[in-house]
Amino acid sequence: MALFHVQGVPIGYVAIMLAIVASMGGFIFGYDTGQISDLLLMDDFLTSFGQCGTPGDVSTCHFSNVRTGLIVGLLSIGTLIGALLGAPTADFFGRRRAMQLESLVFVVGVIIQITATDQWAQVAVGRLISGLGVGALSAAVPMYQAETAPPQIRGTLTATYQLFITFGILIAYCISIGTRHYKGSKSWQTVVGIGIVWPGILAFGIQFMPESPRWLALHGRMDEAQTSIARVRGVSAKDAANDFVIQKEIEEIRSRLEFERNEEGGWIDCFRPANKQLYRTLLGMALQSLQQLTGANYFFYYGATIFQSVGIEDSYVTQIILGAVNFGCTFLGLYIMERFGRRYPLIIGGLWQSAWLFVFASAGTAKVPQDNPGIGKLMIVSACLFILGYASTWAPGIWILIGETFPTRTRAKQGALATASNWLWNFLLAFFTPFIVNNIKFRYGYIFASCNLLGAVVVYFFLYESSDISLEAVDMMYNDPNCKPWTSRTWAPAGYANRRDLAEQARAAEAHKPLSGATDEHFEKAGSAHSGEKV
């Protein structure tokens, strides 16, 4: 039974549950990201793995830039490799089984970390292995959510991945502030060890969710694909064969796969110019790279250290404030990305983020923050306002786009390439940030500000608006020679005046009251309208 209706079509409770359960993959990512900033400041972690002038005396211990960069950054190397391995894994085993296997890999990495006693390299290797699981999940989860979610709420459901990333970061901060005074290794082992719980929830919960209907259809299992869509729609399996909306979705998937039947779907196909494959691969890689270059992880990885340097006494508390802003504003992002589409929020977000990073960098450069409390407060406010913009635009928006920009046969591989680009820049920033900050201090913010401006430009000139239409229609749009990125917001499948007309006709069909000119044949043609076009 449908839980509610959107644009007149049914949405089942399973659609909400699959978004929440699969998004535990994002929670794992966020929790692992959030914990490291505080671990680097914990006394036992410092004395166990840092370089100490007097063994056991925390006041003489520190982490060199190289050691800090490797402990923080090796996770990202693992995630880069994991993202690339995640594509064939998800294609071979299916989206759900792949997520279960990747959760197990993450747990192995956590166990390696918490059993370390005095070898920092063991912690780094454990983070590398955990990264394999996180990276593969980062490729699989948004793809699974986009392929399974109803188009009417796809943006919101896919954005829950980013929401759970921010939730994971916040929870890591809160647990860290609670354990920092524990005696001995319990202070940091507790934080890291609790990480085993989250993949357990994902691996167990995803067992009860439907498989991606597009993966099932790609493997010739159309009856199961129909059942999967029916569960998400809240329609019983026996009624699915007579349900107009479900049959329309199945027909769109079938006709698009028929059009793609001669395409191999291998790695090399991701770089072929035909059907804008190369265009979309490079666009996805650029957007994921630019998401890292917004500068958000500068605050999340090194936030505690940054705010110590501006004279804040308890930088743990400041981290929680930033984490809370990040988490809270992501709810705003769910609304923005569903209400205003993808292009406008990303363009405006890039400009907003750039402005506040200029303020942050200028304030830190103009005066010494430690000697000027007002400057330090201004920097924290500007950092929070930057995160407000990031959490409500670029953070959820890019993960949504990775799930809905690519065609079915190559979606896993193109998504993996894009996600790997994210992790490559994640590593480069994590590793080199200590060196860069030592040399240019807070002027580092100017670099990120410029990258945000570049992001806004890339979105305007190259990104197509993919909201409110099916994944198959997105593929048609990219292959329509008459559609340009800046005009794509008004594009709709053949037979519809615009996207509102598409929604109204779907609503009328669900109510069994077809609008004038709207027939079953009309809808079937819309699903395969551009299949004969050459590009």
Side-chain angles (χ1 to χ4, degrees), residues 452-503:
N452 278 279
L453 290 176
L454 175 61
V457 171
V458 168
V459 169
Y460 180 80
F461 285 106
F462 299 103
L463 179 67
Y464 287 69
E465 180 56 67
S466 52
S467 63
D468 300 322
I469 54 177
S470 70
L471 298 182
E472 289 68 35
V474 171
D475 194 34
M476 296 177 201
M477 176 178 63
Y478 271 93
N479 286 295
D480 186 343
N482 297 317
C483 181
K484 304 300 179 187
W486 46 90
T487 64
S488 60
R489 188 176 181 83
T490 60
W491 186 93
Y496 299 95
N498 50 48
R499 297 185 189 187
R500 178 177 295 179
D501 181 38
L502 189 156

Side-chain angles (χ1 to χ4, degrees), residues 171-194:
I171 293 299
Y173 291 162
C174 292
I175 292 176
S176 295
I177 200 171
T179 67
R180 59 178 171 166
H181 296 305
Y182 284 8
K183 292 186 180 298
S185 60
K186 290 182 180 178
S187 59
W188 61 270
Q189 285 178 337
T190 302
V191 180
V192 178
I194 287 175

Side-chain angles (χ1 to χ4, degrees), residues 226-359:
Q226 178 176 288
T227 301
S228 176
I229 294 174
R231 287 188 64 190
V232 171
R233 289 291 188 185
V235 176
S236 67
K238 71 175 184 177
D239 293 334
N242 299 315
D243 187 281
F244 182 87
V245 173
I246 292 174
Q247 290 307 309
K248 175 177 175 290
E249 289 187 46
I250 283 291
E251 182 56 36
E252 280 190 329
I253 294 171
R254 180 187 287 113
S255 63
R256 202 62 195 169
L257 286 176
E258 178 67 17
F259 176 59
E260 297 175 5
R261 68 185 183 279
N262 294 323
E263 297 178 14
E264 293 296 325
W267 289 102
I268 194 66
D269 295 289
C270 300
F271 298 96
R272 296 188 190 280
N275 299 324
K276 282 201 170 178
Q277 288 285 75
L278 176 62
Y279 180 103
R280 285 184 272 180
T281 297
L282 294 178
L283 176 63
M285 294 173 70
L287 290 174
Q288 283 280 31
S289 299
L290 287 164
Q291 189 199 54
Q292 280 296 318
L293 289 167
T294 57
N297 279 345
Y298 168 56
F299 295 105
F300 297 140
Y301 282 150
Y302 296 103
T305 306
I306 291 168
F307 291 115
Q308 271 191 344
S309 68
V310 301
I312 303 301
E313 280 188 25
D314 195 340
S315 55
Y316 284 84
V317 174
T318 307
Q319 282 285 82
I320 289 179
I321 293 171
L322 288 179
V325 170
N326 190 30
F327 176 59
C329 292
T330 304
F331 284 99
L332 176 62
L334 300 184
Y335 171 77
I336 288 174
M337 300 308 296
E338 197 67 71
R339 174 66 178 82
F340 299 104
R342 319 300 186 235
R343 282 173 51 84
Y344 288 167
L346 291 178
I347 293 171
I348 295 170
L351 298 175
W352 172 275
Q353 291 153 206
S354 178
W356 288 109
L357 282 168
F358 272 117
V359 173

